[in-house]
């Protein structure tokens, strides 16, 4: 009786496990229930699967950023090329003349100033050339405004060039005769290497040897005197 009484008192005091003295269940009893949703894992996926998805999303973001950077660089390169072409096209016609351009102008024989006179036509100058006879032949090679040229041949071989040039378009060509110390007839003469020239009015008449031995200086002087100099002076 004494032992049974103690058991009864314990049960009466604590009641059934999880049940209070009033017969209600404890609010914490569901946490320890095997069927409680709180006892299950809060994540529906396993950790390896979750890590794979995070890594895949990270790689996707990296690839997308790389594509954006590549397209941006290609666009910038295209813009730079277009700007370079525009600058070249706009600035191509305003380049300053180089020293080679100046050398070409000096050696081309283009007149830099004029006297205001109308240069004679080449056909007008042909009539004042000496006629060739015997073993010599005269062959005209150039006829243009202000200039006429002819080759002097001996036995079919060129020995000299005969020329009349109007200095109306190139007054500088006549300046060298102002200091000439020689004369052929009444006309000032200048000898320059294989070339002998005289100034008749505004016309420069010259004979140039093909080679140093093809026609001597005295021969060049003789051929100059065969030109119709008086007629040329009155042109």
């Amino acid at each position: 009786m004494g032992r049974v009484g103690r058991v009864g008192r314990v049960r009466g005091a604590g009641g059934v496990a999880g049940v209070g003295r009033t017969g209600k269940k404890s609010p914490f009893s569901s946490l320890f229930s095997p069927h409680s949703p709180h006892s299950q894992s809060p994540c529906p996926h396993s950790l390896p699967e979750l890590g794979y998805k995070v890594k895949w999303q990270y790689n996707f973001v990296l690839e997308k950023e790389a594509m954006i950077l590549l397209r941006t660089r290609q666009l910038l390169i295209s813009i730079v090329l277009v700007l370079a072409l525009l600058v070249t096209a706009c600035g191509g016609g305003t380049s300053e003349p180089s020293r080679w351009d100046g050398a070409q102008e000096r050696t081309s024989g283009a007149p830099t100033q004029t006297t205001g006179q109308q240069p004679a036509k080449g056909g007008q100058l042909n009539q004042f050339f000496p006629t060739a006879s015997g073993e010599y032949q005269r062959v005209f090679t150039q006829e243009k405004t202000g200039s006429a040229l002819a080759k002097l041949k001996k036995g079919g071989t060129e020995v000299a060039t005969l020329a009349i040039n109007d200095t109306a378009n190139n007054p500088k060509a006549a300046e060298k005769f102002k200091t000439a110390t020689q004369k052929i007839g009444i006309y000032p003469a200048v000898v320059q290497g294989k070339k002998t020239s005289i100034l008749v009015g505004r016309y420069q008449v010259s004979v140039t040897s093909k080679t140093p031995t093809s026609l001597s200086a005295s021969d060049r002087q003789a051929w100059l005197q065969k030109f119709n100099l008086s007629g040329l002076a009155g042109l």
Side-chain angles (χ1 to χ4, degrees), residues 109 111 113 115 117-122 124-125 144-148 163-174 199-205 232 235:
Q113 67 179 109
T115 61
Q117 297 174 313
Q118 188 70 22
K121 296 180 180 180
Q124 293 178 293
L125 302 175
K144 64 180 183 179
T145 301
S147 177
I164 298 177
N165 293 287
D166 192 344
T167 63
N169 282 347
N170 189 15
K172 288 187 177 181
L199 186 65
V200 181
R202 71 184 196 193
Y203 300 98
Q204 176 179 271
V205 184
L232 181 62
L235 181 62

Side-chain angles (χ1 to χ4, degrees), residues 128-130 162-164 198 205-207 222-230 232:
F128 303 106
F129 276 75
L162 312 177
I164 298 177
I198 60 175
V205 184
S206 61
V207 177
W223 276 100
L224 283 171
Q225 292 176 323
K226 293 181 180 182
F227 280 82
N228 183 2
L229 302 178
S230 58
L232 181 62

Side-chain angles (χ1 to χ4, degrees), residues 4-189:
V4 173
R6 286 195 300 269
V7 172
R9 284 194 299 270
V10 171
R11 288 183 178 180
V16 180
V19 180
R21 293 181 179 180
T22 58
K24 296 181 180 181
K25 292 183 178 181
S26 172
F28 301 101
S29 61
S30 61
L31 295 176
F32 304 99
S33 173
H35 302 288
S36 173
H38 299 286
S39 63
Q40 299 177 3
S41 175
C43 182
H45 303 286
S46 62
L47 288 179
E49 183 179 358
L50 182 62
Y52 172 78
K53 288 188 176 182
V54 171
K55 183 178 180 181
W56 181 85
Q57 290 179 355
Y58 178 74
N59 291 337
F60 176 76
V61 171
L62 289 181
E63 291 178 359
K64 190 173 182 179
E65 290 181 353
M67 288 297 295
I68 293 174
L69 290 176
L70 179 61
R71 291 179 181 177
T72 303
R73 187 172 70 173
Q74 291 175 346
L75 180 60
L76 291 176
I77 292 175
S78 301
I79 292 174
V80 170
L81 290 176
V82 171
L83 291 177
L85 290 175
L86 289 176
V87 171
T88 303
C90 295
T94 59
S95 61
E96 297 182 355
S98 66
R99 60 191 181 95
W100 301 112
D101 296 334
Q104 184 177 5
E105 289 183 3
R106 291 192 296 270
T107 58
S108 62
T112 56
Q113 67 179 109
T114 65
T115 61
Q117 297 174 313
Q118 188 70 22
K121 296 180 180 180
Q124 293 178 293
L125 302 175
N126 289 346
Q127 58 183 321
F128 303 106
F129 276 75
T131 58
S133 60
E135 57 182 344
Y136 288 96
Q137 303 87 39
R138 182 195 64 188
V139 180
F140 286 101
T141 58
Q142 178 177 301
E143 181 182 305
K144 64 180 183 179
T145 301
S147 177
L149 300 177
K151 289 182 179 180
L152 181 65
K153 294 184 177 182
K154 182 179 181 181
T157 302
E158 181 181 352
V159 294
T161 299
L162 312 177
I164 298 177
N165 293 287
D166 192 344
T167 63
N169 282 347
N170 189 15
K172 288 187 177 181
E175 291 182 358
K176 60 179 175 289
F177 294 99
K178 294 180 180 180
T179 57
T181 57
Q182 302 180 37
K183 283 189 176 182
I184 297 177
I186 61 174
Y187 306 105

